[in-house]
Amino acid sequence: QVQLRESGPGLVQPSQTLSLTCTVSGFSLTSHSVHWVRQHSGKSLEWLGRMWSDGRPSYKSAFTSRLSISRDTSKSQVFLKMNSLQTADTGTYYCARGTFTTGGDVMDAWGQGASVTVSS
Amino acid sequence: DIQMTQTPSSMPASLGERVTISCRASQGISNYLNWYQQKSDGTIKPLIYYTSNLQSGVPSRFSGSGSGTDYSLTISSLEPEDFAMYYCQQYDNYPWTFGGGTKLELK
């Protein structure tokens, strides 16, 4: 079945770089896109970016200068790298599969989330 | 960015009750609206896509409607597993944006 699993360090120092990996199974990265979404504790969800099935990344404009999304199709992995981390980047980071349907473009499967704390 | 405003932010309700959650976009989004459920353990699952289409495996007590800037999610008869957070999300424009969430609580 379709699964996504985020992994990465739970603690990152301020000004350092966050590196997260989303390992997927049950589908191909060349057939589906993968999104990254984060959630501050007790807050709503924030869309960060997307790795399209053709290998192109898209980013929320506010993060263009410090966010990079890439992939390794041979390992079924999508990577998120965010630099210059601040305490405001603390939260839970999710990866989610993107699927097109008639009229629809939906995140139809989600990982369990990776908790990230930015602190010295 | 398109702002999504959900109301109410929290809703006490009883088992078997019919509830409706509203979502208003800051501009028309041409029905490009999804709904998601988040459980207390953080698990997120899609419920409705393109305003009114039920995601596979989602019970028929869930339904969605709306047009233009105003959308809603209705649960016809609350079951114990429905008490959770609900988010609307627009995909008409990038960046995709979510509503602030509605916490459905047991009365």
Side-chain angles (χ1 to χ4, degrees), chain A residues 35 37 39 43-47 50 52 58-61 94 101-112, chain B residues 1 32 34 36 38 41-46 48-50 53 55 87 89 91 94-101:
Chain A
H35 300 262
V37 175
Q39 184 174 39
K43 302 295 185 183
S44 184
L45 300 159
E46 179 180 24
W47 181 84
R50 177 178 201 168
W52 291 88
S58 295
Y59 305 110
K60 181 175 181 177
S61 57
Y94 294 91
T101 60
T102 304
D105 188 1
V106 63
M107 292 178 278
D108 69 345
W110 293 65
Q112 85 284 359
Chain B
D1 298 0
Y32 295 130
N34 298 325
Y36 298 89
Q38 184 176 33
D41 66 357
T43 304
I44 299 173
K45 79 169 194 177
I48 303 280
Y49 66 92
Y50 195 35
N53 295 271
Q55 192 70 23
Y87 295 96
Q89 172 250 318
Y91 57 101
Y94 284 99
W96 288 9
T97 47
F98 292 84

Side-chain angles (χ1 to χ4, degrees), chain B residues 30-86:
Chain B
S30 303
N31 291 99
Y32 295 130
L33 191 283
N34 298 325
W35 289 95
Y36 298 89
Q37 178 193 67
Q38 184 176 33
K39 292 293 184 73
S40 57
D41 66 357
T43 304
I44 299 173
K45 79 169 194 177
L47 298 173
I48 303 280
Y49 66 92
Y50 195 35
T51 294
S52 59
N53 295 271
L54 211 59
Q55 192 70 23
S56 175
V58 174
S60 59
R61 62 181 181 272
F62 290 89
S63 63
S65 64
S67 64
T69 60
D70 295 319
Y71 300 84
S72 62
L73 172 72
T74 297
I75 309 172
S76 61
S77 179
L78 282 171
E79 297 285 336
E81 61 268 28
D82 298 338
F83 292 94
M85 286 290 293
Y86 292 86

